[in-house]
């Protein structure tokens, strides 16, 4: 292809003695002796070529300017297929491109850095700019306020903080472009007095004659060490009698200590110290043992509430009280170890809930949280919570110790299920699983439960975790069943595998009923057959007929066809009369 017009063709000087022109060449797909040839010429000059061009990443060509300041330069590119040109007209005074500053050094205080530098051409007035890289990655630009100044002061910096700076310059008159940056200089400001306060907390343990107080401290985001912390100063004194304070100093590697105090009220002060000064004091008030008995000796009187884990941590809420100026929640990162790595977090007076998160939290571990209200540096225990980041299924099944069988029911009794801190979740209740060995389960009052192997079970749910027995009814007599009791938590239950097998007995009541229906009627029939005559006389007696009476069997008593008995023919043993009138007649 024929050559393209040279792109980005421009000329500049770094020392007012020599001019360099640069441009970008295009692709011609020609090689060897057919490569493009470049020529730089000055329109008003008789010279055919000002310089010989060289091309790598970009093309450039340089020559001495002598006493000429205005230039009209043309670059010509040519190959066997064509020719193209580009022109640049310029005043050398307006094309100053300084060299990068060098020999950069600094003077600093705790909040300021003054940068110094040199540059090669001191005859040219330059205007310089400083770039400062902050610790958080932000970049700040600072311009020198005085032309041709070889220094700049950067203010408002943090004490004992590392900064990286570099400098570049441009022509003060007829600015063309900035120079390249100088080599970066990394420096640290000097130490200053620590700003802010330490965040302090305590753990109180009653002992004979007083209390052991374990003190903890940490640096919060608002606390600035402004240097290297070399020690922590701990001071404590009685509030009532104004006795002489006691104090002790600890190396910076420590973040806790234990002191013994009696049952009086105490003021505790902790400060951090660097090579310059102490930080502001952090104050903690420990109340008298009698006044603080609820908070120290009787914490078990507060009922523990249960809290739930979320994706971000453990959610905790509490009832706010207007008298407190802040709230504190403390917990142990490793509750099963001693020391347990006590942690705490502070909240403002208008806060009534929080999500507590920690990299140490793991599923299946129970964590205890204590919520304190604080006013005038004096803390009081308000509530206690316990919960899990995530509950897991119980580690053990309830131990069924007693099984009572009838022909149509089974009563299962188990020991009290352990609910201590080692459990991986809160026991919410129990599931009772029942299934006949052969056939499907369709017991009344149960729900179907399908195992992974497509085995079908009857499932009963007990919502009360304090329950220790359950009766499964509506079983079939003389049948073999498999049965199991499992505890469940918020994380579910362990796999259903270890069944217990039972055999229901035959129905004895039904047998007795059958015996009654068969034997009793048979026995009665046998007795009746044996005493038939007696039974007949008792049950069906013969009704006497006058015509069959022996008394009337004589012939002389017959009148016509009837037999007649005349009363006067008989000699009665007794005579009963209906009335006295008849008696008189007789």
């Amino acid at each position: 292809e024929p050559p393209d017009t040279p792109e980005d063709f421009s000329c500049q000087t770094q020392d007012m003695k020599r001019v360099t022109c640069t441009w970008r060449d295009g692709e011609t797909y020609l090689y060897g002796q057919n490569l493009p040839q470049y020529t730089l010429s000055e329109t008003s000059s008789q010279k055919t070529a000002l310089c010989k061009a060289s091309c790598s990443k970009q093309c450039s060509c340089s020559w001495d300017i002598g006493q000429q300041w205005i230039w009209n330069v043309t670059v010509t590119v040519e190959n066997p297929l064509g020719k193209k040109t580009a022109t640049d007209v310029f005043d050398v005074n307006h094309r100053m491109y300084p060299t990068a500053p060098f020999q950069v050094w600094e003077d600093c205080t705790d909040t300021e850095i003054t940068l110094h530098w040199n540059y090669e051409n001191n005859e040219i007035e330059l205007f310089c700019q400083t770039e400062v890289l902050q610790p958080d990655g932000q970049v700040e630009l600072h311009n020198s306020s005085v032309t041709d100044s070889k220094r700049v002061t950067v203010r408002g910096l943090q004490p004992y903080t590392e900064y990286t700076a570099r400098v570049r310059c441009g022509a003060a008159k007829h600015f063309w472009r900035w120079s390249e940056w100088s080599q970066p200089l990394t420096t640290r400001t000097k130490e200053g007095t620590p700003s802010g306060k330490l965040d302090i907390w305590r753990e109180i343990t009653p002992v004979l004659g007083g209390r052991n107080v374990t003190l903890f401290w940490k640096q919060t985001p608002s606390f600035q060490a402004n240097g290297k912390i070399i020690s922590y100063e701990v001071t404590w004194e009685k509030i009532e009698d104004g006795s002489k304070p006691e104090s002790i100093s600890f190396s910076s590697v420590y973040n806790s200590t234990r002191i013994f105090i009696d049952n009086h009220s105490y003021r505790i002060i902790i400060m951090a110290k660097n090579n310059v000064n102490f930080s502001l004091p952090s104050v903690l008030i420990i109340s008298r043992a009698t006044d603080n008995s609820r908070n120290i000796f009787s914490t078990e009187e507060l009922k523990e509430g249960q809290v739930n884990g979320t994706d971000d941590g453990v959610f905790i809420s509490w009832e706010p009280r207007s008298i407190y100026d802040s709230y504190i929640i403390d917990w142990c990162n490793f509750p099963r170890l001693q020391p347990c790595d006590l942690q705490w977090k502070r909240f403002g007076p208008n806060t009534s809930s929080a999500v507590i998160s920690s990299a140490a939290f793991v599923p299946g571990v129970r964590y205890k949280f204590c919520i304190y209200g604080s006013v005038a540096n004096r803390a009081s225990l308000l509530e206690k919570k316990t919960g899990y980041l995530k509950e897991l299924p119980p580690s053990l099944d309830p131990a069924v110790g007693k099984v009572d069988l009838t022909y149509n029911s089974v009563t299962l009794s188990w020991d009290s299920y352990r609910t201590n801190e080692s459990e991986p979740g809160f026991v919410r209740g129990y599931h009772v699983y029942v299934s006949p060995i052969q056939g499907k389960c369709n017991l009344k009052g149960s729900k179907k439960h399908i195992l992974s192997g497509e085995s079908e079970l009857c499932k009963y749910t007990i919502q009360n975790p304090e329950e220790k027995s359950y009766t499964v009814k509506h079983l079939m007599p003389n049948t073999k069943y498999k049965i199991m009791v499992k505890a469940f938590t918020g994380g579910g239950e362990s796999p259903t595998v270890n069944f217990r097998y039972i055999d229901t007995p035959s129905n004895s009541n039904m047998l007795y009923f059958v015996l009654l229906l068969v034997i009793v009627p048979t026995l009665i029939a046998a007795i009746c057959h044996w005493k038939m005559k007696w039974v007949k006389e008792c049950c069906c007696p013969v009704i006497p007929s006058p015509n069959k009476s022996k008394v009337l069997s004589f012939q002389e008593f017959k009148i016509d066809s009837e037999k007649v008995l005349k009363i006067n023919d008989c000699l009665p043993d007794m005579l009963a009369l209906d009335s006295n009138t008849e008696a008189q007649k007789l």
Side-chain angles (χ1 to χ4, degrees):
E1 293 182 358
D4 294 329
T5 301
E7 296 181 5
D8 302 329
F9 177 61
S10 67
C11 302
Q12 58 199 14
T13 182
Q14 288 188 314
D15 54 7
M16 302 299 291
K17 298 177 181 179
R18 191 172 178 82
V19 170
T20 299
C21 294
T22 57
W23 65 92
R24 291 190 296 113
D25 60 341
E27 179 60 66
T28 63
Y29 304 102
L30 294 174
Y31 306 96
Q33 62 182 3
N34 294 323
L35 280 173
Q37 302 297 316
Y38 298 95
T39 304
L40 262 73
S41 59
E42 212 280 325
T43 305
S44 61
S45 173
Q46 300 299 320
K47 295 181 179 180
T48 56
L50 293 173
C51 58
K52 184 178 180 181
S54 63
C55 295
S56 55
K57 292 183 179 179
Q58 70 173 3
C59 298
S60 66
C61 189
S62 301
W63 72 93
D64 294 330
I65 61 175
Q67 300 299 317
Q68 184 176 342
W69 302 107
I70 306 298
W71 290 82
N72 186 349
V73 180
T74 300
V75 59
T76 303
V77 55
E78 183 177 7
N79 71 8
L81 299 179
K83 178 171 67 174
K84 292 290 177 63
T85 62
T87 301
D88 187 16
V89 179
F90 60 93
D91 184 340
V92 174
N93 292 304
H94 295 185
R95 293 293 180 93
M96 182 63 193
Y97 174 57
T99 58
F102 64 98
Q103 293 181 345
V104 180
W105 74 98
E106 88 289 345
D107 293 324
C108 62
T109 66
D110 58 339
T111 59
E112 296 181 357
I113 295 177
T114 300
L115 293 173
H116 305 265
W117 60 86
N118 285 321
Y119 41 77
E120 291 181 354
N121 196 337
N122 294 317
E123 292 81 15
I124 303 171
E125 289 188 358
L126 298 178
F127 172 77
C128 297
Q129 186 180 68
T130 303
E131 179 191 79
V132 179
L133 178 63
Q134 301 282 344
D136 59 2
Q138 292 186 353
V139 174
E140 292 183 358
L141 295 176
H142 300 266
N143 295 328
S144 56
S145 57
V146 180
T147 302
D148 215 23
S149 174
K150 295 182 180 180
R151 70 175 186 176
V152 67
T153 299
V154 181
R155 298 179 174 85
L157 304 179
Q158 293 295 325
Y160 202 65
T161 303
E162 194 172 84
Y163 295 90
T164 299
R166 57 182 184 173
V167 183
R168 64 182 179 180
C169 298
K173 295 180 180 179
H174 312 298
F175 179 84
W176 166 243
R177 62 175 57 174
W178 291 109
S179 70
E180 295 295 325
W181 287 106
S182 67
Q183 290 296 320
L185 173 70
T186 300
T187 186
R188 183 185 292 273
T189 53
K190 293 183 178 180
E191 293 189 50
T193 300
S195 61
K197 300 179 181 180
L198 294 171
D199 187 4
I200 65 175
W201 190 233
R202 85 294 184 272
E203 186 180 40
I204 304 173
T205 306
V207 294
L208 184 63
R211 295 160 289 177
N212 282 334
V213 180
T214 303
L215 300 170
F216 304 89
W217 57 86
K218 63 183 177 181
Q219 298 181 14
T220 62
S222 61
F223 177 85
Q224 298 295 328
N226 294 337
K228 185 178 181 181
I229 298 298
I230 58 176
S231 65
Y232 295 100
E233 191 82 11
V234 178
T235 304
W236 64 99
E237 60 180 345
K238 285 185 183 179
I239 297 178
E240 288 91 347
D241 58 7
S243 59
K244 184 179 179 180
E246 298 181 67
S247 65
I248 189 170
S249 182
F250 295 93
S251 168
S252 61
V253 298
Y254 292 96
N255 62 359
S256 67
T257 186
R258 177 181 291 179
I259 62 173
F260 173 81
I261 61 174
D262 57 29
N263 292 324
H264 291 85
S265 296
Y266 276 80
R267 178 185 293 108
I268 298 174
I269 299 173
I270 303 179
M271 296 181 292
K273 185 179 185 301
N274 64 11
N275 291 310
V276 176
N277 206 342
F278 286 98
S279 68
L280 294 174
S282 298
V283 182
L284 196 63
I285 304 297
I286 306 295
S287 300
R288 292 174 58 89
T290 52
D291 298 338
N292 207 34
S293 60
R294 179 179 176 226
N295 303 316
I296 301 176
F297 298 101
S298 303
T299 57
E300 59 273 6
E301 294 178 2
L302 290 174
K303 186 177 180 181
E304 289 186 352
Q306 292 186 4
V307 292
N308 300 318
T310 67
D311 293 338
D312 300 321
V314 180
F315 178 77
I316 298 176
S317 62
W318 60 91
E319 181 183 349
R321 282 84 162 175
S322 59
I323 62 172
Y324 297 113
D325 53 33
S326 65
Y327 297 96
I328 303 100
I329 299 178
D330 70 9
W331 70 92
C332 285
N333 266 343
F334 305 99
R336 299 176 183 176
L337 301 178
Q338 285 298 331
C340 69
D341 188 21
L342 183 72
Q343 301 291 317
W344 72 97
K345 193 171 183 180
R346 295 182 180 271
F347 301 92
N350 299 322
T351 306
S352 60
S353 64
V355 175
I356 303 299
S357 59
S358 171
F361 286 171
V362 294
V365 175
R366 185 180 298 184
Y367 299 95
K368 289 186 177 181
F369 302 89
C370 293
I371 304 166
Y372 298 83
S374 178
V375 56
N377 300 316
R378 193 185 304 260
S380 301
L381 180 63
L382 304 179
E383 299 179 29
K384 293 197 297 183
K385 307 285 187 178
T386 182
Y388 298 81
L389 177 67
K390 181 181 179 182
E391 293 186 56
L392 298 179
S395 55
L396 296 173
D397 294 332
V400 178
K402 186 179 179 182
V403 178
D404 293 328
L405 279 170
T406 68
Y407 71 93
N408 68 342
S409 68
V410 58
T411 300
L412 304 171
S413 301
W414 53 89
D415 299 333
S416 296
Y417 194 80
R418 66 179 190 180
T419 56
N420 56 26
E421 298 176 3
S422 64
E423 279 302 301
F426 295 117
V427 175
R428 316 279 178 164
Y430 303 93
H431 288 147
V432 178
Y433 294 98
V434 183
S435 178
I437 299 300
Q438 296 180 348
K440 294 184 179 181
C441 185
N442 53 1
L443 297 178
K444 184 179 179 182
S446 67
K447 292 184 178 179
K448 289 186 178 180
H449 179 77
I450 307 298
L451 292 180
S452 57
E454 297 185 356
S455 176
E456 186 177 296
L457 304 176
C458 285
K459 176 181 177 181
Y460 299 88
T461 300
I462 304 169
Q463 298 289 354
N464 182 11
E466 303 297 326
E467 194 70 50
K468 298 180 181 62
S469 66
Y470 188 78
T471 300
V472 180
K473 300 178 180 180
H474 310 293
L475 300 180
M476 295 296 296
N478 198 25
T479 305
K480 191 168 187 177
Y481 288 89
K482 58 182 180 180
I483 195 164
M484 172 184 286
V485 179
K486 300 192 72 66
F488 65 89
T489 67
E493 64 182 23
S494 57
T496 308
V497 289
N498 298 319
F499 284 96
R500 184 168 185 163
Y501 294 89
I502 60 171
D503 291 288
T504 55
S506 300
N507 190 348
S508 57
N509 293 333
M510 183 64 71
L511 182 60
Y512 295 150
F513 183 70
V514 171
L515 290 176
L516 288 176
L517 287 179
V518 175
I519 295 177
V520 172
T522 303
L523 184 60
I524 292 175
I527 293 174
C528 292
H529 182 72
W530 179 40
K531 294 288 186 176
M532 179 63 73
K533 185 177 180 181
W534 176 80
V535 171
K536 187 176 180 181
E537 290 180 354
C538 289
C539 297
C540 301
V542 178
I543 300 174
S545 175
N547 292 321
K548 295 180 179 179
S549 175
K550 294 180 179 179
V551 178
L552 303 176
S553 61
F554 304 103
Q555 294 294 329
E556 57 270 20
F557 292 134
K558 287 186 178 179
I559 300 177
D560 297 327
S561 62
E562 294 183 354
K563 293 180 180 181
V564 178
L565 175 64
K566 294 181 179 179
I567 294 176
N568 55 6
D569 292 333
C570 297
L571 220 54
D573 294 328
M574 184 181 299
L575 187 65
L577 301 176
D578 289 338
S579 65
N580 290 331
T581 304
E582 286 293 328
Q584 291 299 326
K585 288 181 180 181
L586 292 175

